[in-house]
Amino acid sequence: MSYEIKINDRISNIEVLSREGNKFSILIDKRCYELDIVEVDKGVYSILHDCRSFNVELVEAKNSKSYHVNTLYETYEVEIIDAETKYLMNRRKDEGEDQNVISSPMPGKVVKILFKEGDLVKAGETVVIVSAMKMESEYKVKQDRKIKRILVKEGDTVNGDQPMVVIE
Amino acid sequence: MSYEIKINDRISNIEVLSREGNKFSILIDKRCYELDIVEVDKGVYSILHDCRSFNVELVEAKNSKSYHVNTLYETYEVEIIDAETKYLMNRRKDEGEDQNVISSPMPGKVVKILFKEGDLVKAGETVVIVSAMKMESEYKVKQDRKIKRILVKEGDTVNGDQPMVVIE
Amino acid sequence: MIKKVLVANRGEIAVRVMRSCRELGIESVAVYSEVDRKSMHVRYADDAVCIGPAPSSESYLRKDKIIEAAKLTGADAIHPGYGFLSENADFARMCEKEGIIFIGPSPYAIDTMGDKITARKTMIAAGVPVVPGTTEPIHDIKTAIDVIMKIGLPVMIKASAGGGGKGMRLVKNEEDIISAISGAKSEAKAAFGDDAVYIEKYISSPHHIEFQILGDKHGNIVHLFERECSVQRRHQKVVEETPSPIMTQEVRMKMGADAVAAARAVNYYGAGTIEFIVDDNLNYYFLEMNTRLQVEHPITERVVGVDLVKQQINVANGLPLAFKQEDLKQTGHAIEMRIYAEDPDNNFMPSPGVIKHIREPLGLGVRHDGYVYKGYEIPMYYDPMISKLIVWAETRDEAIARMKRALFAYKITGIKTSIPYLHRILEVPDFIKGRYNTHFIEENQQYLKKQNTSTERSIDMAAIAAFVDYITKLESLQTEPNTKQQLGNNWKDFGRKRSALRF
Amino acid sequence: MIKKVLVANRGEIAVRVMRSCRELGIESVAVYSEVDRKSMHVRYADDAVCIGPAPSSESYLRKDKIIEAAKLTGADAIHPGYGFLSENADFARMCEKEGIIFIGPSPYAIDTMGDKITARKTMIAAGVPVVPGTTEPIHDIKTAIDVIMKIGLPVMIKASAGGGGKGMRLVKNEEDIISAISGAKSEAKAAFGDDAVYIEKYISSPHHIEFQILGDKHGNIVHLFERECSVQRRHQKVVEETPSPIMTQEVRMKMGADAVAAARAVNYYGAGTIEFIVDDNLNYYFLEMNTRLQVEHPITERVVGVDLVKQQINVANGLPLAFKQEDLKQTGHAIEMRIYAEDPDNNFMPSPGVIKHIREPLGLGVRHDGYVYKGYEIPMYYDPMISKLIVWAETRDEAIARMKRALFAYKITGIKTSIPYLHRILEVPDFIKGRYNTHFIEENQQYLKKQNTSTERSIDMAAIAAFVDYITKLESLQTEPNTKQQLGNNWKDFGRKRSALRF
């Protein structure tokens, strides 16, 4: 069964042609790889291809189908696109969701919220300031926007990827 | 609810009197401990008692109720004795099970089996030889016995605690 | 003699101090904030006391609670580490008053060196060179010219009343002096209504070089040579090395003697650091003194072969230094790099979070001073430094190669770290040549930006690993759960099984 | 110049060799047996080739497969590590024939030093002291007395035809010589029908001291001082240190010169070790030469400041040594302890298994050369050594304290290890004093047995941790499983949920 897989911005077709123990034959787009793949520790893979030794580390991202993937020098965002994901991606496109949310990419503390619900914000203005590890990060809007909902208050602790402000 | 717990050869009564987050009040025999207990990694516990910092590491042993426990300099075998365990312990006593089995305490390879089923073995004689890490270990009987069943054959790979020979 | 040391700090430095205590047979006490309950220093210590909520102002900076913890646990000494209360003279005084040994210099030395103006005056009196400049405003051109000729070019002329670059002139050539003074003066007059100016030596390519010193309570002071700390980002040191690649033995001896003189001027005891600003011609000027252990102390430990924390404790115990200046020498080359929980490819955004997996670099010539472990959550309240990688080798080139090897083997997942950025620093030609100053990072942006090293194959391998992980999960999900294996035989027999949970 | 090195080994030494290759910019190739697919050397290498099933005879000892792997991956050199094929002259010859550089000495040197009798003769010819003794059987008492007077007391008299202790006599005092010879002869006659005897110098408290040497292909040979290896259990080294606590500078220089002479006698190049047996008066005798890197080489690396693997590669490349004897010196003190997967409290039973959790010791002066990691299963087919802990300090006392600190911080669960046993060695008075010989372990059994350090409180803590773990599991089992959290929101939506599995 063939899947679609998204690596950063590249979308590829991927399919396991055959498998015997840890020996895989995998087709990705038109490239066929004969591989020896073992998981040496939770999320840590050792892959041998043509005698070359690759180490790949996975951390599950927002759900069980998306990963942060580290190779020797690079980090990739990988997502397996199944029917569900496609559906969600389409819905997201239709509803314009997500682009309208200001989220904190890291855990931190909300230091300041500079607007209130209903306010109009000019492009480039800072909406919210989050502090983590003695550093403050400002979250701005790129275009003129209106504050629809504010989901946090000053002093709140937020997690990574937690939505803070909904704009329209 | 009070449990019985076996630490090496000591059997104690143990009970959580109260718990609030990671603060525990625990009664063991007649000793009451006020403790701050957190699991810092899977099976690795940090315990604070009267400002003293203890590090305890657990490895599950033969089932979910028994542990190998490492403290700073010591290793203990700990088993929680619930109704089931008591039942099994009694049955074991009645049937004389387990004492009649020669098991390998470590993974290894069966190098030699010196008797066959039905043979009579004299006290001190070696029944089976297992090899691991370039070292051979001999398993003997302490008293005159009869070989009831042989569960492995020469060349077999055995796991830790795997029964090899049943004697009577 | 000290029997039990409370370490008033957290993170790698707390663990590092406790290690030396353990080697000396001294017990250690950890203090921790509520979010640091699982922190390594709590696990490593013999005793541990909670001193308050996460914000430093409510815990690690609370002098009263720390003293209280020392009394509760019977600690007879306090080591402040670096940061937090390490350069707080009041805290040192409080310890003294409570009969607890403060492992650090006298409150007098902290105070004197802590105030920039007092420190500068003290250094001038001690004959230690400071950045030449006027201390009084100058109004007439002739005095200005005299002063400039005395200081020597280049100089910076600054409006006394000034700010924001107004009335500032950099003078490099003699023929520009008069026009520069006139220009600065008239600009200052126009902007601030006051034409007075200051003149200061301008150091165009400054190097930050510091000297480690050690003094005892018997008046003995030695230096342990220099550390080159010019690789800085936003005034934060990123790489430190010793010996400095620009140093000569002659200048080293002179600077060392001046560092000792600087320390002697405040009757210094304990470990301290004299920071100098140095130009390309190795003219050097006192910048400030850090009256504590530095983050980068391990490179000195490695090259000189001395455990600085043990020395601090010995001095606090009133012992004389065990060595004289002539006993000390530098062997080989050491480099330190600081690993931060931050995303170097996204404006160095801090990256707190849970360590999912960690593999620390090991082997010949590598020291790794850290405190995080698998499963540990790096809190968002403190400094993002998670560890320090220190390598030693016979030569600088070999040390660089070794550092690359160590960075290659250092794996952390779950958070972003500065490791890829540090890799890139080691590839910058100016760094390799040892020709760099404090402008290094800003001048080498083109080398330090994220390079695209992706090949089609490496992208494919990333995709394949994720895909295989996914389908393996899917398969195990579609198989009937094997509860028996997970929970041991006995659960099932007793019909307790509700479902199989991960624990 | 060598571009790619195949490491014909596994475990810590394979990783250690690859580290130096990486620093030199040389690619590395791992070979592995079927059970070693997940082993660290496979993960660390640039290339990896499977060479057969688990038993060494079918993989790591298969010369043909290893050469084949080198050709397949384009490796131009092979490093044999220690053990396996490292002292196999045939393998060295095969490499040569196939145009692959063998990183080690010449086949001639391996052969000569590999045969005990040839080696002894070669050493006598080179003027290197060997254990004094007769090589021909002696029949008459007068000759025997002459020989004994020449060798000096004490001596061991052994029946030529003998065995099993029959006809053996230890002579310590001059007045016992005649009766001992007569007794031995008549006992030999009675037992074997032959009264001929051998006489050999008896070393009552032997020390095992070895010298590291390095030679190049241009006839330069230096020594890198001694390693004291007298702490042995069943002829296996357990602790090594340098400098030797019994060595004097004078004897060191003499032994070093003899070690160089020994190596020169076989035109040695590469790294090698001359083992000596030494008595309490520092009389020393050649024992054997190891024509390879030793397990304990890191203590020399630390105290002399030289990367021995890099030196081996440089020599193999035909480069001359970069230093002369007078450039080398010892700084401080280093100790190595070997960590085995074995149960010291159960007759040193091997303990293969899965590493559940590992925390490696770090910090100032600690090097840890290992290869296991969390989740790794130590196979039952190979040597039980899992890592080596090497510490350095200014003095021997400090090094011992540091080793204790490192052992304290070194945590492995899932298997039994020798760590508690090593701890006890460091507490033995004779070890602390540095007064020990090869009888150390057997003479100090009372200190080395498991001590009961349990207190009621520590037993209670063990019980409590297990109990809390148990009831936490029980609770989560009795709660409705929160599938959502475990698998992400999306699973549920699509009704794929069958059960919650741990993955």
Side-chain angles (χ1 to χ4, degrees):
Chain A
M1 187 177 140
S2 170
Y3 282 77
E4 277 188 353
I5 193 164
K6 189 165 174 242
I7 314 107
N8 290 350
D9 295 327
R10 191 186 98 181
I11 293 182
S12 294
N13 283 301
I14 189 164
E15 184 175 1
V16 174
L17 298 180
S18 70
R19 176 184 181 171
E20 220 187 298
N22 45 314
K23 302 284 198 300
F24 288 77
S25 178
I26 288 178
L27 187 71
I28 182 162
D29 291 337
K30 299 242 158 76
R31 297 175 295 283
C32 183
Y33 290 99
E34 302 299 321
L35 301 162
D36 180 333
I37 307 178
V38 295
E39 188 180 20
V40 294
D41 191 5
K42 167 115 192 64
V44 182
Y45 283 83
S46 165
I47 304 181
L48 300 183
H49 172 243
D50 272 356
C51 294
R52 290 304 269 182
S53 173
F54 296 86
N55 295 286
V56 183
E57 296 166 339
L58 310 178
V59 181
E60 234 179 65
K62 58 182 188 291
N63 61 45
S64 58
K65 282 174 292 192
S66 65
Y67 296 90
H68 304 290
V69 182
N70 298 328
T71 58
L72 182 47
Y73 294 111
E74 297 292 329
T75 299
Y76 304 96
E77 304 302 317
V78 177
E79 191 169 2
I80 284 91
I81 307 172
D82 60 4
E84 177 197 9
T85 313
K86 271 191 187 153
Y87 166 75
L88 287 172
M89 282 167 89
N90 283 331
R91 205 179 59 173
R92 210 147 55 205
K93 232 178 269 167
D94 297 345
E95 297 180 8
E97 237 186 83
D98 275 12
Q99 291 105 339
N100 290 336
V101 172
I102 299 178
S103 301
S104 167
M106 63 190 178
K109 196 174 172 177
V110 178
V111 175
K112 208 157 179 56
I113 301 168
L114 295 108
F115 294 93
K116 55 185 194 303
E117 293 185 1
D119 281 358
L120 294 169
V121 198
K122 289 233 168 71
E125 279 190 307
T126 299
V127 178
V128 55
I129 302 176
V130 174
S131 150
M133 293 178 156
K134 298 156 107 188
M135 207 177 126
E136 293 193 346
S137 306
E138 301 186 345
Y139 297 90
K140 302 167 195 287
V141 286
K142 284 181 189 156
Q143 296 167 303
D144 290 2
R145 297 290 203 133
K146 187 179 173 186
I147 306 288
K148 199 170 164 186
R149 277 187 62 204
I150 297 178
L151 307 166
V152 293
K153 58 183 194 301
E154 290 179 7
D156 275 6
T157 300
V158 291
N159 299 320
D161 294 323
Q162 182 179 324
M164 297 185 294
V165 177
V166 184
I167 51 181
E168 56 171 45
Chain B
M1 186 175 141
S2 171
Y3 283 78
E4 277 187 354
I5 193 164
K6 189 163 174 245
I7 315 105
N8 289 350
D9 295 326
R10 191 185 99 182
I11 293 181
S12 294
N13 283 299
I14 189 164
E15 185 177 1
V16 174
L17 297 180
S18 70
R19 176 183 180 170
E20 221 186 297
N22 45 313
K23 302 284 199 300
F24 288 76
S25 179
I26 289 177
L27 187 70
I28 182 161
D29 290 337
K30 298 242 157 77
R31 297 175 295 283
C32 183
Y33 290 99
E34 302 299 321
L35 302 163
D36 181 333
I37 306 177
V38 296
E39 188 180 22
V40 294
D41 191 5
K42 167 114 192 66
V44 182
Y45 283 82
S46 165
I47 304 180
L48 300 182
H49 173 243
D50 273 357
C51 295
R52 290 306 267 183
S53 174
F54 295 87
N55 295 286
V56 183
E57 297 166 339
L58 311 177
V59 179
E60 234 178 66
K62 58 182 188 291
N63 61 43
S64 57
K65 281 174 290 192
S66 65
Y67 297 90
H68 304 290
V69 182
N70 300 328
T71 58
L72 182 47
Y73 294 111
E74 296 291 330
T75 299
Y76 304 96
E77 304 302 317
V78 178
E79 190 169 3
I80 284 90
I81 307 171
D82 60 6
E84 177 197 10
T85 313
K86 270 191 188 153
Y87 167 73
L88 287 172
M89 282 167 88
N90 282 331
R91 205 179 58 173
R92 208 146 59 205
K93 232 178 271 164
D94 296 347
E95 298 181 7
E97 238 187 81
D98 275 12
Q99 290 105 338
N100 290 337
V101 172
I102 298 178
S103 301
S104 167
M106 63 189 177
K109 195 174 173 177
V110 178
V111 175
K112 209 159 179 53
I113 301 168
L114 296 107
F115 294 92
K116 55 185 194 303
E117 293 184 2
D119 280 359
L120 293 169
V121 198
K122 290 233 168 71
E125 280 190 307
T126 299
V127 178
V128 54
I129 302 176
V130 175
S131 149
M133 293 178 157
K134 299 156 107 190
M135 209 177 123
E136 293 191 348
S137 305
E138 302 185 346
Y139 296 90
K140 303 167 195 288
V141 287
K142 285 181 189 154
Q143 296 167 303
D144 291 2
R145 297 289 204 134
K146 186 180 173 188
I147 305 288
K148 199 169 161 187
R149 278 187 61 204
I150 297 178
L151 307 166
V152 292
K153 58 184 193 303
E154 290 179 7
D156 276 6
T157 300
V158 291
N159 298 320
D161 294 322
Q162 183 179 323
M164 297 186 293
V165 177
V166 184
I167 50 183
E168 56 171 44
Chain C
M1 289 296 171
I2 293 166
K3 294 261 179 301
K4 196 170 195 173
V5 171
L6 182 147
V7 183
N9 217 303
R10 63 179 301 284
E12 67 88 18
I13 192 61
V15 176
R16 189 261 166 274
V17 171
M18 289 174 192
R19 283 186 176 128
S20 285
C21 290
R22 183 163 288 275
E23 290 180 17
L24 289 169
I26 293 172
E27 289 212 335
S28 53
V29 182
V31 290
Y32 64 97
S33 75
E34 283 160 11
V35 294
D36 267 345
R37 171 64 183 87
K38 294 184 179 182
S39 198
M40 186 58 87
H41 71 294
V42 177
R43 297 169 59 192
Y44 196 93
D46 295 294
D47 287 9
V49 181
C50 183
I51 50 166
S56 306
S57 58
E58 298 173 47
S59 49
Y60 296 106
L61 292 172
R62 283 287 297 268
K63 305 183 189 83
D64 53 338
K65 289 202 177 172
I66 291 169
I67 302 257
E68 200 182 296
K71 292 186 158 180
L72 177 69
T73 54
D76 46 10
I78 293 181
H79 193 299
Y82 52 69
F84 295 130
L85 297 170
S86 61
E87 294 183 290
N88 189 307
D90 284 345
F91 183 59
R93 265 183 221 106
M94 267 180 79
C95 289
E96 218 168 86
K97 224 178 75 188
E98 301 285 347
I100 296 166
I101 297 172
F102 177 77
I103 301 176
S106 66
Y108 162 74
I110 300 175
D111 271 341
T112 309
M113 288 304 197
D115 181 72
K116 288 228 171 197
I117 292 163
T118 317
R120 185 177 161 99
K121 284 182 183 160
T122 312
M123 288 307 103
I124 292 169
V128 177
V130 298
V131 178
T134 50
T135 38
E136 302 298 321
I138 296 171
H139 291 274
D140 65 303
I141 292 189
K142 199 186 158 315
T143 315
I145 294 172
D146 288 351
V147 168
I148 290 171
M149 295 319 284
K150 214 176 107 202
I151 292 174
L153 291 173
V155 296
M156 184 64 86
I157 304 170
K158 293 177 183 173
S160 277
K166 284 254 159 58
M168 264 178 79
R169 287 287 190 286
L170 170 63
V171 191
K172 288 183 174 172
N173 305 308
E174 212 163 310
E175 58 266 35
D176 301 331
I177 294 178
I178 294 174
S179 69
I181 301 172
S182 312
K185 280 170 70 74
S186 61
E187 207 171 287
K189 182 83 185 174
F192 317 110
D194 177 4
D195 69 350
V197 292
Y198 279 101
I199 295 163
E200 211 179 66
K201 179 87 187 169
Y202 176 73
I203 291 150
S204 54
S205 57
H207 300 261
H208 175 119
I209 297 180
E210 60 186 29
F211 272 68
Q212 176 70 50
I213 68 104
L214 262 181
D216 63 23
K217 292 177 178 172
H218 308 276
N220 302 304
I221 303 179
V222 298
H223 70 86
L224 292 90
F225 312 101
E226 82 279 15
R227 290 186 289 258
E228 167 70 62
C229 309
S230 299
V231 179
Q232 301 188 352
R233 202 180 65 79
R234 295 182 194 163
H235 303 288
Q236 281 277 25
K237 295 165 191 166
V238 179
V239 187
E240 300 98 356
E241 62 178 316
T242 183
S244 163
I246 63 163
M247 187 60 73
T248 66
Q249 185 59 14
E250 193 196 339
V251 175
R252 175 178 294 125
M253 289 301 109
K254 260 181 69 196
M255 287 180 79
D258 276 329
V260 169
R264 195 175 301 285
V266 290
N267 300 318
Y268 199 85
Y269 55 76
T273 297
I274 315 288
E275 295 192 347
F276 292 101
I277 182 165
V278 182
D279 69 19
D280 279 340
N281 300 314
L282 297 186
N283 298 304
Y284 60 91
Y285 312 100
F286 173 86
L287 205 62
E288 62 174 338
M289 178 169 193
N290 295 309
T291 56
R292 53 164 168 83
L293 202 67
Q294 302 274 93
V295 176
E296 60 271 22
H297 74 278
I299 56 172
T300 297
E301 293 187 316
R302 187 58 180 85
V303 159
V304 184
V306 166
D307 182 328
L308 287 169
V309 172
K310 283 189 190 166
Q311 297 303 325
Q312 289 186 301
I313 293 171
N314 287 344
V315 168
N317 264 325
L319 297 175
L321 291 182
F323 36 73
K324 295 196 168 53
Q325 190 64 55
E326 57 267 30
D327 300 329
L328 300 174
K329 59 181 189 320
Q330 298 167 290
T331 308
H333 197 95
I335 305 178
E336 174 182 286
M337 291 190 126
R338 303 180 181 194
I339 318 293
Y340 286 94
E342 65 187 13
D343 184 355
D345 302 324
N346 185 11
N347 197 28
F348 297 90
M349 177 93 74
S351 179
V354 177
I355 308 288
K356 299 280 184 186
H357 181 257
I358 180 167
R359 198 174 108 204
E360 297 177 272
L362 299 169
L364 175 59
V366 177
R367 169 176 173 186
H368 183 234
D369 271 28
Y371 78 107
V372 307
Y373 57 88
K374 185 185 160 295
Y376 178 69
E377 180 170 3
I378 300 178
M380 60 181 218
Y381 297 93
Y382 313 107
D383 191 273
M385 193 177 81
I386 52 177
S387 75
K388 306 181 309 201
L389 204 47
I390 302 107
V391 301
W392 177 91
E394 290 178 74
T395 64
R396 186 171 187 270
D397 286 346
E398 193 183 8
I400 292 175
R402 188 159 286 163
M403 182 62 88
K404 280 191 206 167
R405 185 262 288 174
L407 289 175
F408 158 78
Y410 194 173
K411 305 282 181 201
I412 296 189
T413 56
I415 56 164
K416 303 264 187 190
T417 72
S418 53
I419 293 173
Y421 185 75
L422 298 175
H423 244 299
R424 281 173 240 150
I425 288 177
L426 297 176
E427 304 276 7
V428 177
D430 280 350
F431 184 82
I432 295 167
K433 286 182 221 140
R435 277 196 240 129
Y436 61 85
N437 54 49
T438 55
H439 305 312
F440 172 80
I441 297 255
E442 100 202 41
E443 283 172 356
N444 286 284
Q445 285 304 332
Q446 80 274 26
Y447 295 103
L448 298 174
K449 254 180 272 163
K450 185 172 164 57
Q451 324 279 321
N452 189 3
T453 58
S454 287
T455 59
E456 190 178 67
R457 181 155 75 163
S458 75
I459 298 172
D460 286 351
M461 291 302 146
I464 285 166
F467 182 62
V468 168
D469 192 78
Y470 172 74
I471 57 170
T472 309
K473 279 194 299 199
L474 208 62
E475 271 167 26
S476 63
L477 206 76
Q478 284 161 351
T479 314
E480 209 51 50
N482 190 346
T483 323
K484 205 175 133 189
Q485 268 194 334
Q486 267 185 276
L487 296 180
N489 283 315
N490 312 322
W491 294 105
K492 219 176 70 183
D493 303 345
F494 276 68
R496 283 226 187 82
K497 194 194 87 180
R498 282 271 193 73
S499 76
L501 257 194
R502 166 211 267 171
F503 51 66
Chain D
M1 288 296 169
I2 294 166
K3 294 261 178 300
K4 196 171 196 172
V5 171
L6 181 148
V7 183
N9 217 302
R10 63 180 301 283
E12 68 87 18
I13 191 62
V15 176
R16 190 260 165 275
V17 170
M18 290 175 192
R19 283 187 176 126
S20 284
C21 290
R22 183 163 287 274
E23 289 180 18
L24 289 170
I26 294 173
E27 289 213 338
S28 52
V29 181
V31 290
Y32 63 98
S33 74
E34 283 159 12
V35 294
D36 267 346
R37 171 65 184 86
K38 293 183 178 183
S39 198
M40 185 58 88
H41 71 294
V42 177
R43 297 170 59 192
Y44 196 92
D46 296 293
D47 287 10
V49 181
C50 183
I51 50 165
S56 306
S57 56
E58 298 174 47
S59 49
Y60 296 107
L61 292 173
R62 283 287 297 267
K63 306 183 189 83
D64 54 339
K65 289 202 178 173
I66 291 169
I67 301 255
E68 200 182 297
K71 292 186 159 180
L72 178 69
T73 54
D76 46 9
I78 293 181
H79 193 299
Y82 52 69
F84 295 131
L85 297 170
S86 62
E87 293 182 289
N88 189 307
D90 284 343
F91 182 59
R93 265 183 222 106
M94 267 180 80
C95 289
E96 218 170 86
K97 224 178 75 188
E98 300 285 347
I100 297 166
I101 297 173
F102 177 77
I103 301 177
S106 65
Y108 162 75
I110 300 175
D111 271 340
T112 308
M113 288 304 197
D115 181 72
K116 289 226 170 198
I117 291 164
T118 315
R120 186 177 161 98
K121 282 183 185 162
T122 310
M123 289 306 103
I124 292 170
V128 176
V130 298
V131 178
T134 50
T135 36
E136 303 298 322
I138 296 171
H139 290 274
D140 67 301
I141 292 192
K142 199 186 163 310
T143 314
I145 294 172
D146 286 351
V147 167
I148 291 172
M149 295 320 282
K150 213 175 110 200
I151 293 175
L153 292 172
V155 296
M156 185 65 86
I157 303 170
K158 293 178 185 173
S160 275
K166 284 252 159 61
M168 263 177 80
R169 286 289 189 286
L170 171 63
V171 190
K172 289 181 174 174
N173 304 306
E174 210 164 311
E175 60 265 35
D176 301 332
I177 294 180
I178 293 174
S179 67
I181 300 172
S182 313
K185 280 171 71 74
S186 61
E187 207 173 289
K189 182 85 184 173
F192 317 110
D194 176 3
D195 71 349
V197 290
Y198 279 100
I199 296 163
E200 210 179 67
K201 179 88 186 169
Y202 176 73
I203 292 149
S204 53
S205 57
H207 301 261
H208 175 120
I209 298 180
E210 60 186 29
F211 271 69
Q212 176 68 51
I213 69 104
L214 262 180
D216 64 23
K217 291 178 178 171
H218 308 276
N220 302 304
I221 304 178
V222 298
H223 69 85
L224 292 91
F225 312 100
E226 81 279 14
R227 290 186 290 257
E228 167 71 63
C229 309
S230 299
V231 179
Q232 301 188 352
R233 202 181 64 79
R234 294 182 194 162
H235 303 288
Q236 281 278 22
K237 296 166 189 166
V238 179
V239 187
E240 301 98 356
E241 62 178 316
T242 183
S244 163
I246 63 162
M247 187 60 73
T248 66
Q249 186 59 15
E250 194 196 337
V251 174
R252 175 178 294 125
M253 289 302 108
K254 260 180 69 195
M255 286 179 80
D258 276 330
V260 169
R264 195 175 301 286
V266 290
N267 299 319
Y268 200 85
Y269 54 77
T273 297
I274 314 288
E275 295 191 347
F276 293 101
I277 182 165
V278 183
D279 69 19
D280 279 340
N281 299 314
L282 298 186
N283 298 304
Y284 61 91
Y285 311 100
F286 173 86
L287 205 60
E288 62 173 338
M289 178 168 194
N290 294 310
T291 56
R292 53 164 167 84
L293 202 66
Q294 303 273 93
V295 175
E296 59 271 23
H297 75 276
I299 56 172
T300 297
E301 294 188 316
R302 187 57 179 86
V303 159
V304 183
V306 166
D307 182 329
L308 287 170
V309 172
K310 283 189 190 165
Q311 297 304 325
Q312 289 185 300
I313 293 172
N314 287 343
V315 168
N317 264 325
L319 298 175
L321 291 182
F323 36 73
K324 295 196 166 53
Q325 189 65 55
E326 57 267 31
D327 300 329
L328 300 174
K329 61 181 185 325
Q330 298 168 290
T331 307
H333 198 96
I335 304 177
E336 174 181 285
M337 292 190 125
R338 304 181 182 193
I339 318 294
Y340 286 93
E342 64 186 14
D343 184 356
D345 302 323
N346 185 11
N347 197 28
F348 298 90
M349 177 94 73
S351 179
V354 177
I355 307 288
K356 300 280 186 186
H357 180 258
I358 180 166
R359 199 175 107 203
E360 297 176 270
L362 299 168
L364 175 59
V366 176
R367 169 177 174 187
H368 183 234
D369 272 27
Y371 78 106
V372 307
Y373 56 88
K374 184 185 160 296
Y376 177 69
E377 180 169 6
I378 300 178
M380 59 181 218
Y381 296 93
Y382 312 108
D383 191 273
M385 192 176 82
I386 52 177
S387 74
K388 306 181 308 202
L389 204 47
I390 303 107
V391 301
W392 177 92
E394 291 176 74
T395 63
R396 185 171 188 271
D397 286 347
E398 193 182 5
I400 292 174
R402 188 158 287 163
M403 182 63 88
K404 280 191 205 168
R405 186 262 288 173
L407 289 174
F408 158 77
Y410 193 174
K411 305 283 182 198
I412 297 190
T413 56
I415 56 163
K416 303 264 186 190
T417 72
S418 53
I419 293 173
Y421 185 75
L422 299 174
H423 243 298
R424 281 173 240 150
I425 288 177
L426 298 175
E427 305 276 7
V428 177
D430 281 348
F431 184 83
I432 295 168
K433 286 182 221 141
R435 277 196 241 130
Y436 60 86
N437 54 48
T438 55
H439 305 313
F440 171 79
I441 298 256
E442 104 203 37
E443 283 172 358
N444 287 283
Q445 285 304 332
Q446 80 273 27
Y447 295 103
L448 298 174
K449 254 180 271 163
K450 186 172 163 58
Q451 323 279 320
N452 188 3
T453 58
S454 287
T455 60
E456 190 177 68
R457 180 154 75 164
S458 74
I459 298 172
D460 286 352
M461 292 302 147
I464 286 166
F467 182 61
V468 168
D469 193 77
Y470 172 76
I471 57 171
T472 310
K473 281 193 296 199
L474 208 62
E475 273 167 24
S476 62
L477 205 74
Q478 284 161 351
T479 315
E480 210 49 54
N482 191 346
T483 324
K484 206 175 132 188
Q485 269 193 333
Q486 268 186 275
L487 297 180
N489 282 315
N490 312 321
W491 294 104
K492 219 176 71 184
D493 303 347
F494 275 68
R496 283 227 187 80
K497 195 195 82 180
R498 284 268 192 77
S499 78
L501 257 193
R502 165 212 266 171
F503 51 65

